[in-house]
Amino acid sequence: MTALRARTGLYLAAASVLLSAGCGTHPERTTGAPGPAASAPATGPSTALSDLARLESALANQAGASGSAPTDSGLSLARHVGNSASYLWETSEGKVCFAQGAVSGAVVHETACLDAAQTTVEEPGSRLDTFFGPGDGFSEPYIVFAAAPGSAVTSVKCETRDTSWTLVRKLDPRATGRDVYYVTLPDGHKGWIDVTLEQSDGAKVADRLPITMGKTPQVY
């Protein structure tokens, strides 16, 4: 599995965690409603919601112990498929964190954080900014990106084909209030994804985010 990756101000931590009862009450979670063509976070039918809650609580506790505790807004579920789940949250220091882990059993989970206010777009004139990934993930290839304020994703395509995407949450104004999206990528995808954005005036604009799977992750 390719580790989590971000381009600036990131730390990466991996811990082997045995999930058990009594992890504490999971925080209130704020999740963004998906756009018209978006896919809601997938929930594996074989996984009990109590297992998902224990993972969320374990991640929050681990984040607190490592100095990246979530704010009162809690953790937002980015994706739940099979026995893995991904979460995103913000810290009181203005960082954005992303974690993946197995929902049940003794698991290894990974967490990465970045200073969202200091990230920059990769392509001149783009409204898209890669936060985490691209990576192979615990269950599927993915990328997490932010769109400029006033820009809402309406579609994401890989090589002209629609792909699953989810609006995870709107960031605090300290992180410029951007919307953060989770996108499922095809295996081994290289090149780019094409994103259609709707501006505040209703105009539709096309944007492109470069993607190269299989690179050695960079940890800052």
Side-chain angles (χ1 to χ4, degrees):
M1 182 194 70
T2 302
L4 303 177
R5 173 179 176 269
R7 292 176 293 101
T8 55
L10 174 145
Y11 70 83
L12 179 67
S16 179
V17 180
L18 177 63
L19 298 179
S20 60
C23 289
T25 303
H26 69 282
E28 291 297 323
R29 185 170 65 231
T30 302
T31 56
S39 299
T43 301
S46 62
T47 304
L49 292 179
S50 59
D51 289 336
L52 193 63
R54 286 203 301 272
L55 174 61
E56 183 177 336
S57 181
L59 291 175
N61 291 339
Q62 180 70 22
S66 64
S68 57
T71 64
D72 291 341
S73 295
L75 282 69
S76 293
L77 179 63
R79 177 75 165 165
H80 175 201
V81 56
N83 191 42
S84 68
S86 303
Y87 287 90
L88 186 135
W89 68 93
E90 298 173 78
T91 74
S92 58
E93 292 77 28
K95 295 190 181 207
V96 177
C97 300
F98 180 70
Q100 298 187 52
V103 177
S104 61
V107 302
V108 172
H109 69 256
E110 293 183 342
T111 301
C113 295
L114 57 79
D115 186 342
Q118 296 185 12
T119 62
T120 56
V121 298
E122 295 184 25
E123 299 293 328
S126 176
R127 297 168 177 81
L128 308 176
D129 182 8
T130 300
F131 273 16
F132 304 102
D136 292 326
F138 273 62
S139 60
E140 62 189 3
Y142 73 95
I143 191 167
V144 177
F145 68 83
S151 302
V153 170
T154 61
S155 73
V156 180
K157 295 179 182 290
C158 291
E159 298 176 355
T160 73
R161 296 184 179 181
D162 289 325
T163 189
S164 173
W165 60 274
T166 303
L167 170 59
V168 181
R169 75 192 283 162
K170 181 180 288 293
L171 298 180
D172 185 275
R174 288 176 297 178
T176 70
R178 289 175 287 179
D179 290 336
V180 180
Y181 296 86
Y182 177 102
V183 174
T184 302
L185 299 173
D187 288 336
H189 182 70
K190 295 181 180 180
W192 56 81
I193 55 175
D194 288 311
V195 181
T196 301
L197 299 166
E198 183 174 351
Q199 303 302 285
S200 56
D201 61 1
K204 298 287 184 68
V205 296
D207 210 328
R208 177 170 282 184
L209 192 64
I211 303 291
T212 301
M213 299 292 296
K215 281 187 174 181
T216 301
Q218 297 176 355
V219 179
Y220 295 87

